[in-house]
Amino acid sequence: MNDSMEQKMKMRHLLCAAMLAFSACIPAIAAEPVEAHLTVAKEVAGPRIEPEIYGHFVEHLGTGVYGGLWVGPESEIPNTRGWRNDVIEALRRIEVPVIRWPGGCFADDYDWRDGIGDPAKRPVRLNRWWGRVPESNRVGTHEFMDLVELLDSEAYIAANMGSMSPMDTSRWLEYMTSDSDSTLAKERRRNGRERPWRVKYVGVGNESWGCGGNMRPEYQADLHNRYATYLHDTLRVASGDGQRDDHLVEVLMERSGAHMDAFTLHYYTIAGEWEDKGPATGFGLDRWAKGLESALGIEERIVAVSGIMDKYDPDKRIALYVDEWGTWHDPAPGSNPGFLQQQNTLRDALVAAVSFNAFHRHTERVKMANIAQMVNVLQAMALTDGPRMALTPTYHVFDMYKPFRGATPLKATLETPRWREGDIELPAVDASVARTADGRVVLALANLDPRRSARVRTNLSGAVQGRILTADAIDAHNTFARPDVLVPTPYSAGGEGEALTLELPAKSIVVVDLPR
Ligand code: AHR
């Protein structure tokens, strides 16, 4: 450690000591870093990392649409045809490959006809799932597809299997995608859209075991087949597991495998129990450990679901879409509990990093993942309050991981020490390595240990450049007043011809690029 680094460490300790009184600041232990070893092989570990793994989910829930993304064309908040410019610009920077909409639970209560035509004449409905607030239907199909186009994204429509008929869904699809002179295509033109839209994915219901109709898997399988029969020229996505229900996976794969292109998994990270999720900020090391333990569990579930899928689909024709994932904390104090609003901290950033690493390790099945949700809801990219916006640490992880999109995962062996908090023991380091289309090696490393830094020795050599996301406080987060508390900063390691060793501060994420 050189003098200036030592000075910086001392300053951090002093600052941390001062901050301890107010927040969950965990001073790094000044001891030697723990040692980890990463051996990267030349062989590929699986098919490419589909960009859709960095997909999003937008639901009519709280301020996820209204306020967070949509302010309306008449708003004083700068907007493009109603979509707020600050959020759109930020989302364009992280390149949104696919957006799932309109739910969630909302999807199985949604009548697409409510959201087309003259906005002034659209019916107001009650959003029965989320706060029982009025749903103006001001954002409907045309507005959503405009958002998809503004973000150069793909549409993933979650269709209503719970409370509408297969004909409703097939007509919605015809309305959106037909180039003909059918009555529905003409209606779309009259409503302002000449060219048909492309709808690449259609979800057949959502959580059919719960808010999507409380169905038995056997009943859902029959219903899925019936609905899927009327879906043409789109990828048919079956509503899948969200409750560790292996029986459901078996039944759907066995009875409906022939009628689906993808099967879904919902997995939420909870730093406690469902009834006691714990706060989004101001938590202790117990909840830090619990949250990361829960996040790491996503891989076990992917493996379990994929294993069952393999039985019925050994050629892996059917993809696994993790189309809802992310943290679910207690609602922000003072907020409407039905709005699922929560802050987003360094812990959420690490959850995102280990989730991406897990997706990268299972690209033979996992072809899409959609974080819940895009803005203001659960593990969001951005938080807004009137005209103000703050990007979250999770947003920055999406940004840092951009080089992984379309890259091919490489085989790697990681030997990592473990750390313990109470009765939870977890690995310190988690890693992902991939080769980009132009031959660079990208490496992501996360140090989950809240106290100790890690030194990662590798079999690679050379100088790397990249970015690091870290902070002193385990609940460091960005606010409207201080939006830059947690932002990535430049990181470099190694030198020409030298063996590459990377130093990871406690609770940090590093993504670097190794030139070829
Ligand atoms: O993302 C919030 C809710 O979580 C979704 O509406 C539902 O599908 C899931 O239970």
Side-chain angles (χ1 to χ4, degrees):
M1 195 185 289
N2 60 32
D3 282 357
S4 80
M5 271 178 87
E6 202 162 5
Q7 280 289 340
K8 267 191 206 153
M9 290 293 283
K10 275 189 192 145
M11 275 303 292
R12 280 176 70 161
H13 280 289
L14 284 174
L15 256 174
C16 218
M19 285 163 69
L20 260 173
F22 308 107
S23 73
C25 184
I26 308 299
I29 288 177
E32 273 295 285
V34 294
E35 294 257 342
H37 291 265
L38 178 72
T39 310
V40 179
K42 289 211 166 64
E43 302 95 73
V44 303
R48 77 174 201 145
I49 298 163
E50 295 299 334
E52 285 74 12
I53 281 175
Y54 292 86
H56 295 256
F57 168 39
V58 172
E59 180 165 14
H60 286 239
L61 192 178
T63 53
V65 173
Y66 302 110
L69 279 158
W70 172 270
V71 286
E74 312 78 21
S75 172
E76 283 180 2
I77 299 173
N79 68 81
T80 305
R81 296 183 294 278
W83 298 105
R84 55 187 296 165
N85 291 347
D86 50 358
V87 175
I88 296 297
E89 274 162 29
L91 291 170
R92 283 187 65 83
R93 285 199 294 277
I94 54 168
E95 295 167 13
V96 172
V98 56
I99 314 172
R100 177 173 181 251
W101 174 86
C105 294
F106 182 82
D108 281 295
D109 221 2
Y110 180 63
D111 181 349
W112 67 274
R113 286 213 148 265
D114 289 348
I116 57 169
D118 181 354
K121 295 194 181 135
R122 295 184 192 172
V124 175
R125 308 273 183 215
L126 264 194
N127 187 333
R128 279 182 284 256
W129 289 106
W130 306 116
R132 298 188 72 81
V133 292
E135 162 59 56
S136 67
N137 281 302
R138 182 61 187 85
V139 170
T141 301
H142 289 250
E143 291 78 16
F144 170 68
M145 295 308 284
D146 191 28
L147 173 70
V148 170
E149 291 187 340
L150 275 172
L151 295 176
D152 289 329
S153 197
E154 291 283 355
Y156 174 3
I157 296 289
N160 181 341
M161 177 166 79
S163 65
M164 292 194 88
S165 74
M167 188 175 280
D168 290 301
T169 300
S170 71
R171 291 205 168 153
W172 190 9
L173 202 56
E174 181 181 324
Y175 178 89
M176 290 186 283
T177 61
S178 176
D179 204 7
S180 72
D181 274 334
S182 78
T183 300
L184 284 164
K186 283 183 180 162
E187 187 179 1
R188 182 195 68 235
R189 290 190 193 105
R190 274 200 311 279
N191 286 337
R193 173 72 183 199
E194 181 59 36
R195 278 178 302 122
W197 291 291
R198 167 178 152 105
V199 177
K200 191 166 175 189
Y201 312 94
V202 173
V204 185
N206 167 74
E207 297 193 351
S208 305
W209 42 265
C211 63
N214 285 310
M215 302 173 196
R216 286 178 309 119
E218 293 75 7
Y219 178 73
Q220 185 204 330
D222 287 345
L223 213 53
H224 171 93
N225 298 348
R226 189 171 149 226
Y227 277 68
T229 306
Y230 305 99
L231 293 177
H232 304 289
D233 306 320
T234 188
L235 294 170
R236 301 150 306 164
V237 186
S239 162
D241 175 48
Q243 294 193 306
R244 298 173 185 271
D245 185 348
D246 291 351
H247 173 68
L248 179 146
V249 184
E250 291 270 358
V251 171
L252 264 292
M253 286 302 299
E254 185 180 12
R255 300 186 183 198
S256 303
H259 306 284
M260 67 172 84
D261 301 293
F263 182 76
T264 68
L265 170 66
H266 289 181
Y267 188 95
Y268 284 99
T269 288
I270 297 177
E273 304 304 322
W274 183 250
E275 302 72 27
D276 170 29
K277 301 184 187 71
T281 58
F283 48 84
L285 282 178
D286 53 339
R287 298 268 191 189
W288 169 273
K290 192 97 191 118
L292 292 173
E293 181 187 44
S294 168
L296 290 166
I298 199 170
E299 187 157 11
E300 195 188 307
R301 200 58 208 143
I302 289 171
V303 169
V305 173
S306 304
I308 301 172
M309 291 177 79
D310 285 349
K311 248 169 82 180
Y312 300 96
D313 177 36
D315 297 335
K316 303 190 196 303
R317 182 189 65 79
I318 303 170
L320 179 62
Y321 293 169
V322 188
D323 66 356
E324 286 186 32
W325 70 273
T327 54
W328 195 321
H329 307 304
D330 288 344
S335 68
N336 182 333
F339 282 11
L340 310 187
Q341 240 171 59
Q342 61 189 41
Q343 246 302 354
N344 195 296
T345 68
L346 180 56
R347 181 180 59 177
D348 297 80
L350 277 150
V351 170
V354 300
S355 303
F356 290 144
N357 296 348
F359 301 151
H360 296 174
R361 285 191 281 270
H362 298 282
T363 52
E364 74 294 343
R365 268 297 173 200
V366 180
K367 306 288 183 186
M368 187 195 292
N370 309 70
I371 191 153
Q373 299 190 3
M374 197 178 241
V375 182
N376 287 341
V377 176
L378 298 176
Q379 191 173 351
M381 300 298 108
L383 304 174
T384 66
D385 176 27
R388 302 189 296 172
M389 177 195 72
L391 299 176
T392 65
T394 301
Y395 172 93
H396 295 301
V397 179
F398 270 72
D399 194 31
M400 289 167 73
Y401 270 70
K402 255 165 51 180
F404 280 98
R405 293 166 188 221
T408 307
L410 293 176
K411 282 196 177 143
T413 319
L414 177 70
E415 289 163 41
T416 170
R418 299 176 72 81
W419 60 281
R420 173 174 273 282
E421 179 61 35
D423 54 9
I424 296 178
E425 198 195 272
L426 298 175
V429 179
D430 189 47
S432 184
V433 199
R435 187 181 296 285
T436 62
D438 64 358
R440 291 171 299 131
V441 173
V442 278
L443 170 60
L445 291 163
N447 182 3
L448 279 46
D449 188 328
R451 298 190 189 88
R452 295 195 66 172
S453 59
R455 177 172 296 143
V456 184
R457 299 190 190 278
T458 74
N459 64 331
L460 303 170
S461 64
V464 292
Q465 307 278 348
R467 288 188 294 169
I468 180 167
L469 192 70
T470 190
D472 286 325
I474 53 174
D475 69 344
H477 56 274
N478 298 329
T479 60
F480 302 117
R482 297 184 62 209
D484 292 335
V485 169
L486 201 50
V487 291
T489 52
Y491 178 93
S492 59
E496 256 343 285
E498 281 174 19
L500 176 64
T501 297
L502 300 102
E503 308 278 341
L504 306 180
K507 48 187 157 36
S508 65
I509 301 159
V510 163
V511 179
V512 290
D513 220 314
L514 198 63
R516 49 190 185 153

